[in-house]
Amino acid sequence: MVIAVDAAGGDHYPESPVQGAVEAVNETSDLVIVLVGPEELINDELVKHEYDRQRIKIQHAPEIIEMNESPAHAVKTKQKSSIVAGVGMHKAGKCNAFVSSGNTGALLAASTFLLGKLKGVSRPVIGAVYPTIKGVRLVMDVGANLEVRPDMFPQFARMGSIYISEIMGVEEPKVGLLNVGEEEEKGTDNLKQAYQKLNTLPNFVGNVEGGDVFNARADIFLCDGLVGNILLKFGESIPEALEMFIKRGIQQHGFGEEETRLAGKVLKASLREFNPDRVGGVPFLGVDGVSMVGHGSSTPRAIKNMILNAVKCIEYNINEKIIASLN
Amino acid sequence: MVIAVDAAGGDHYPESPVQGAVEAVNETSDLVIVLVGPEELINDELVKHEYDRQRIKIQHAPEIIEMNESPAHAVKTKQKSSIVAGVGMHKAGKCNAFVSSGNTGALLAASTFLLGKLKGVSRPVIGAVYPTIKGVRLVMDVGANLEVRPDMFPQFARMGSIYISEIMGVEEPKVGLLNVGEEEEKGTDNLKQAYQKLNTLPNFVGNVEGGDVFNARADIFLCDGLVGNILLKFGESIPEALEMFIKRGIQQHGFGEEETRLAGKVLKASLREFNPDRVGGVPFLGVDGVSMVGHGSSTPRAIKNMILNAVKCIEYNINEKIIASLN
């Protein structure tokens, strides 16, 4: 199995992707990784590590797509970027998956355009993982489609159900529609129509609210990409915000050093699932290939886990199962 | 000054509103409160308390609007409900404000229909308070308008700016538009147009993201009511979710009793601002009157603080300032 890794994406390239690739190779027995990006930059980083030289290769791609660049324009004008080259390799059958913590929009555009969509899929979707009291669950879409038509929701639900059961091990996943209230008639016209479309699915549990995420009243929380993206970034900011609140609370209340230390220890252990490193990255569900995106701030561990996640998607034939479910 | 209080709204009536009213009267010198609801129910509760009998009166209103009832239908068919009667008293000049922790939609419908809108206002709006590292800030709309047209955002921004500076003491408040990225061209067509409309305001700081709320990159976070409502309820669920995560963390890691106690103490002190009791309730900005809504689960302290908040809105002539700002 060959996984191509974007070595010029994210906030910490080339260090994070290179080290993540090395760790993935060292933890597995037959995985081959191709690091895609500026050759010299990658080589300078690779020499710092110990690994089987047969199992990490380099695909030179001199151009860099910055994190804030306009996705469509970047993909069009930077054909020699790591993202376009990496997705192109996947399309050409030179690797089984491409993973990146770079510009999400550019990766989505390149994946949709070059790889195309699976049979029966109208739009690819990104499902983000959320920590809940029952373990991690999915919120989707979180940015691939800012507006979602009613008939797109059941597709998202089916794709998400396969991903969360096959890859994340959630049996018989329940699907909920994020709305302003539980009743069928709540929400915008679009959401009311979505409810009716979703109601034909056996695992649809109806409307759910923002307060239902953490207690996992559903396993897949459906929403448009605007809602999902704002909610995702708000959620991701919780651990840092808590740290700020607690630092301030400690100052204001004059807690002692020992109290502070113990509180920090308990909190850190309790909020482990908030750490995005544990999942590493998620696939664009619906594209004809395995193209995964990770957080811009991905650590080496996050990249490693994203690579292992891509391996799982390939081994479990996610895409074949999605096609079977939709057609 | 006379404040009418819904004694038949929220999850804990008549206990919470009656006790909250008693506490408000006992803490102030010249406030008069009219409890609106089923007379016998209120009397049975009032007898449990000590207060100046001249300063708490009862307005009999036998009908109850349930929390889940369809707002428009409830307001139309239950003319003798506490909500319709209370707003009606306000319209008739028999009180200076009406506060309720009952059915938000019904209260909004009754307020908009009976009180009407302030000159120049196209739609009333609900701004919810969020704890941030700089103190509480506003997210609006959180449910009065599920969809918000671009030209409505500058009005919301002006109304919110007056409220947050006059009542919440935030000087020179900054306005941000919640979006999926900071760049001007991000988001749906609606949000792009909203950006252009907002850009004419001197205190508009541009697009902000979900991760900017807790660190208060803006003081007023604008969004449509769908986004705002889902975000609000997600945010409100954080303290309980944390408690669950920490309980589980403690079990899994085998922390001792003393560690657990200290961690709980530090956390509780640090997250005081998450407690919705501290603000109690928020006004429907833009209606021609002072009509405030509190959380369904309002405690007596929350009701008391909502009453005192209404007093502030009246004393600071919020509505005159809104009219001056919009016309």
Side-chain angles (χ1 to χ4, degrees):
Chain A
M1 186 156 342
V2 181
I3 310 283
V5 175
D6 182 357
D11 304 331
H12 310 297
Y13 75 83
E15 298 85 352
S16 265
V18 169
Q19 190 183 327
V22 169
E23 288 180 13
V25 158
N26 290 345
E27 272 189 27
T28 54
S29 57
D30 55 0
L31 186 62
V32 171
I33 285 178
V34 182
L35 288 165
V36 188
E39 188 164 16
E40 205 175 336
L41 200 71
I42 298 173
N43 265 326
D44 287 352
E45 194 61 32
L46 267 178
V47 295
K48 302 175 187 167
H49 298 279
E50 294 280 332
Y51 62 95
D52 178 350
R53 289 177 182 271
Q54 301 300 312
R55 292 175 56 205
I56 297 191
K57 302 171 194 292
I58 297 174
Q59 171 65 47
H60 181 54
E63 289 178 319
I64 312 261
I65 293 180
E66 306 294 340
M67 294 301 272
N68 287 331
E69 235 173 304
S70 162
H73 184 257
V75 168
K76 218 175 286 176
T77 57
K78 293 185 171 171
Q79 295 282 317
K80 289 177 180 164
S81 62
S82 54
I83 287 178
V84 178
V87 177
M89 281 178 63
H90 187 18
K91 174 67 183 174
K94 291 177 186 159
C95 60
N96 303 91
F98 177 62
V99 308
S100 170
S101 59
N103 185 314
T104 305
L107 184 61
L108 176 64
S111 302
T112 308
F113 184 70
L114 294 175
L115 301 174
K117 293 176 288 187
L118 293 173
K119 190 186 165 201
V121 169
S122 66
R123 294 292 295 267
V125 63
I126 312 175
V129 292
Y130 267 67
T132 77
I133 198 61
K134 297 182 187 164
V136 288
R137 293 297 185 267
L138 280 185
V139 174
M140 64 199 286
D141 186 16
V142 295
N145 311 276
L146 293 186
E147 291 167 291
V148 176
R149 290 193 319 268
D151 60 310
M152 284 154 64
F153 281 110
Q155 287 206 344
F156 292 178
R158 287 179 198 274
M159 293 195 277
S161 296
I162 287 169
Y163 183 71
I164 203 172
S165 58
E166 298 283 335
I167 304 297
M168 293 164 64
V170 177
E171 283 173 32
E172 299 182 19
K174 298 189 298 258
V175 172
L177 179 64
L178 271 174
N179 204 331
V180 299
E182 290 175 24
E183 300 81 4
E184 187 174 336
E185 69 279 5
K186 286 278 180 176
T188 58
D189 286 344
N190 201 59
L191 285 175
K192 286 178 208 170
Q193 289 173 39
Y195 186 103
Q196 297 309 325
K197 298 273 182 190
L198 286 164
N199 220 0
T200 59
L201 300 181
N203 62 343
F204 179 56
V205 296
N207 288 326
V208 288
E209 301 185 61
D212 294 326
V213 176
F214 278 132
N215 57 29
R217 254 199 67 206
D219 301 303
I220 297 165
F221 294 86
L222 294 177
C223 56
D224 64 39
L226 177 67
V227 169
N229 186 281
I230 292 172
L231 198 63
L232 173 69
K233 289 178 182 161
F234 181 72
E236 285 178 343
S237 75
I238 292 175
E240 205 180 301
L242 278 179
E243 208 176 294
M244 293 193 299
F245 283 117
I246 289 170
K247 271 190 187 148
R248 190 179 56 178
I250 284 167
Q251 281 180 342
Q252 286 173 346
H253 293 81
F255 289 115
E257 222 169 275
E258 186 62 7
E259 283 168 316
T260 305
R261 195 186 63 77
L262 289 176
K265 189 174 142 193
V266 172
L267 205 66
K268 200 179 161 192
S270 304
L271 297 184
R272 277 192 318 150
E273 274 179 14
F274 276 83
N275 188 339
D277 284 10
R278 301 188 86 205
V279 173
V282 291
F284 295 121
L285 295 172
V287 300
D288 188 7
V290 175
S291 179
M292 297 194 75
V293 65
H295 205 278
S297 64
S298 286
T299 59
R301 177 166 174 253
I303 301 278
K304 180 199 75 181
N305 286 335
M306 175 158 58
I307 293 168
L308 300 180
N309 219 353
V311 170
K312 262 194 185 178
C313 287
I314 299 158
E315 286 179 346
Y316 286 74
N317 289 316
I318 280 293
N319 285 348
E320 280 177 32
K321 285 168 184 159
I322 286 175
I323 293 172
S325 157
L326 291 182
N327 296 282
Chain B
M1 186 157 341
V2 180
I3 310 282
V5 175
D6 182 357
D11 304 331
H12 311 299
Y13 76 83
E15 298 85 352
S16 266
V18 169
Q19 190 182 327
V22 168
E23 289 181 12
V25 157
N26 289 345
E27 274 188 29
T28 54
S29 56
D30 56 359
L31 186 63
V32 171
I33 285 178
V34 182
L35 289 165
V36 189
E39 189 164 15
E40 203 175 338
L41 202 70
I42 298 173
N43 265 326
D44 287 351
E45 195 61 30
L46 267 178
V47 294
K48 301 176 187 166
H49 298 278
E50 293 281 331
Y51 61 95
D52 177 352
R53 290 180 181 269
Q54 301 300 312
R55 292 176 56 205
I56 296 189
K57 302 170 194 296
I58 296 174
Q59 171 65 47
H60 182 53
E63 289 177 320
I64 312 264
I65 294 180
E66 305 295 339
M67 294 302 272
N68 286 332
E69 236 173 299
S70 163
H73 184 256
V75 168
K76 219 176 286 175
T77 56
K78 293 186 172 171
Q79 294 283 318
K80 289 178 182 165
S81 62
S82 54
I83 286 178
V84 177
V87 176
M89 281 179 63
H90 187 18
K91 174 66 182 174
K94 291 178 186 160
C95 60
N96 303 91
F98 178 63
V99 307
S100 170
S101 58
N103 184 316
T104 305
L107 184 60
L108 176 65
S111 302
T112 308
F113 184 69
L114 294 175
L115 300 174
K117 293 178 287 187
L118 292 173
K119 190 187 165 201
V121 168
S122 65
R123 294 293 295 266
V125 62
I126 312 175
V129 292
Y130 267 69
T132 78
I133 197 62
K134 296 182 187 164
V136 287
R137 294 296 185 269
L138 279 185
V139 174
M140 61 199 286
D141 186 15
V142 296
N145 311 276
L146 292 187
E147 291 168 291
V148 176
R149 290 194 319 268
D151 60 310
M152 284 154 63
F153 281 110
Q155 287 204 344
F156 292 178
R158 287 179 197 275
M159 292 196 277
S161 296
I162 287 168
Y163 183 71
I164 202 173
S165 58
E166 298 282 334
I167 304 299
M168 293 163 64
V170 177
E171 285 174 31
E172 299 181 18
K174 297 190 299 258
V175 172
L177 179 64
L178 271 174
N179 204 329
V180 299
E182 291 176 22
E183 300 81 5
E184 188 175 336
E185 67 280 5
K186 288 278 181 173
T188 58
D189 286 343
N190 201 58
L191 285 175
K192 286 179 206 169
Q193 288 173 40
Y195 186 102
Q196 297 308 325
K197 299 272 183 192
L198 285 164
N199 220 359
T200 60
L201 299 182
N203 61 342
F204 179 56
V205 297
N207 288 327
V208 289
E209 301 184 62
D212 294 326
V213 176
F214 277 132
N215 57 29
R217 254 199 67 207
D219 301 303
I220 297 164
F221 294 85
L222 294 177
C223 55
D224 63 40
L226 177 67
V227 169
N229 186 281
I230 292 172
L231 198 60
L232 173 69
K233 289 177 183 161
F234 181 70
E236 285 178 344
S237 75
I238 293 176
E240 205 180 301
L242 277 179
E243 208 177 294
M244 293 191 301
F245 283 118
I246 289 170
K247 271 191 188 147
R248 189 178 55 178
I250 284 168
Q251 281 181 341
Q252 286 174 346
H253 293 81
F255 289 115
E257 220 169 277
E258 186 62 6
E259 284 166 317
T260 305
R261 195 186 63 79
L262 288 177
K265 191 174 141 193
V266 172
L267 204 66
K268 200 178 162 193
S270 304
L271 297 184
R272 279 192 316 151
E273 276 179 12
F274 276 84
N275 189 336
D277 284 9
R278 302 188 86 206
V279 172
V282 292
F284 295 122
L285 295 172
V287 300
D288 189 7
V290 174
S291 179
M292 298 193 75
V293 65
H295 206 279
S297 65
S298 286
T299 60
R301 179 167 173 251
I303 302 278
K304 180 199 74 180
N305 286 335
M306 175 158 60
I307 293 168
L308 299 181
N309 219 353
V311 170
K312 264 195 185 177
C313 288
I314 298 157
E315 286 180 345
Y316 286 73
N317 289 315
I318 280 293
N319 285 348
E320 281 177 31
K321 286 168 184 159
I322 286 176
I323 293 171
S325 156
L326 291 182
N327 295 281

